[in-house]
Amino acid sequence: MAKKSTGLEPRGFRWVITGRLAVAERIGGYGFQHRKVRREEELIWLKDHGINAIVSFLGANQNSGAYEAAGLAFYAHEVETELEPEDAEAVFDVLSEALADPDAVVLVHRDTIDDTLGGLLAGYLIHSGMLDDPIVATDVIQRILGRAIGPEGRRLIPQS
């Protein structure tokens, strides 16, 4: 019999690499929608699903105390609204650091799942060597996210 999950699934949750790397909107919601109770319920759900680390692309270490209190490793790297392609390498390095432990199961988030986040995820697949074709990486991430990646995100994908 399958274990019953508790908590609340984060908005937009998707596995990018099953059992290793996931993506979602900001835990607890964003802006005026952010709620402490929702954040706590989503953290319970994430832990029930094996997540043991959070990579936040928000500024000012938002929610870091809540993540650490929940026993999750926390990595932060602020991603500007208009990230330049040459700055994407630093983001890939943070993801590589978070995934360096073979037991790490990482969730990455921004306020929303936007073109920038989609492009960074596709770019990470190239950077990590999991894929070597930027067109394939773009297609894979678009299928996972269920949305197209626009030009703002596509420019962040290394072209091999």
Side-chain angles (χ1 to χ4, degrees):
M1 177 180 256
K3 176 184 159 189
K4 184 174 188 258
S5 180
T6 59
L8 184 63
E9 181 175 339
R11 288 183 180 119
F13 181 89
R14 301 279 188 278
W15 286 107
V16 176
I17 304 167
T18 303
R20 284 285 283 158
L21 178 63
V23 64
E25 291 185 2
R26 180 182 177 182
I27 307 308
Y30 66 95
F32 68 90
Q33 298 176 357
H34 184 81
R35 299 286 185 267
K36 180 181 176 185
V37 171
R38 180 178 182 86
R39 181 181 67 221
E40 290 169 355
E41 287 294 315
E42 289 179 1
L43 288 172
I44 291 167
W45 189 92
L46 289 169
K47 289 183 72 175
D48 270 2
H49 287 81
I51 302 293
N52 57 24
I54 302 285
V55 173
S56 175
F57 293 146
L58 302 173
N61 296 336
Q62 296 177 28
N63 293 334
S64 63
Y67 301 146
E68 290 167 354
L72 302 169
F74 178 69
Y75 302 83
H77 184 86
E78 183 173 3
V79 172
E80 298 293 328
T81 302
E82 296 191 23
L83 185 69
E84 294 302 320
E86 59 270 15
D87 297 326
E89 191 73 26
V91 174
F92 303 149
D93 290 344
V94 170
L95 288 171
S96 293
E97 178 185 351
L99 289 161
D101 178 343
D103 295 325
V105 182
V106 176
L107 175 89
V108 61
H109 75 82
R110 289 184 80 192
D111 278 336
T112 62
I113 299 172
D114 59 7
D115 283 347
T116 298
L117 187 52
L120 288 170
L121 291 170
Y124 180 73
L125 296 178
I126 298 293
H127 171 84
S128 68
M130 285 182 242
L131 295 174
D132 60 7
D133 184 334
I135 294 170
V136 171
T138 302
D139 183 58
V140 165
I141 295 300
Q142 288 180 145
R143 288 174 187 263
I144 289 168
L145 299 180
R147 68 183 300 275
I149 300 172
E152 299 83 12
R154 289 175 185 259
R155 68 190 197 104
L156 302 174
I157 304 168
Q159 298 301 307
S160 302

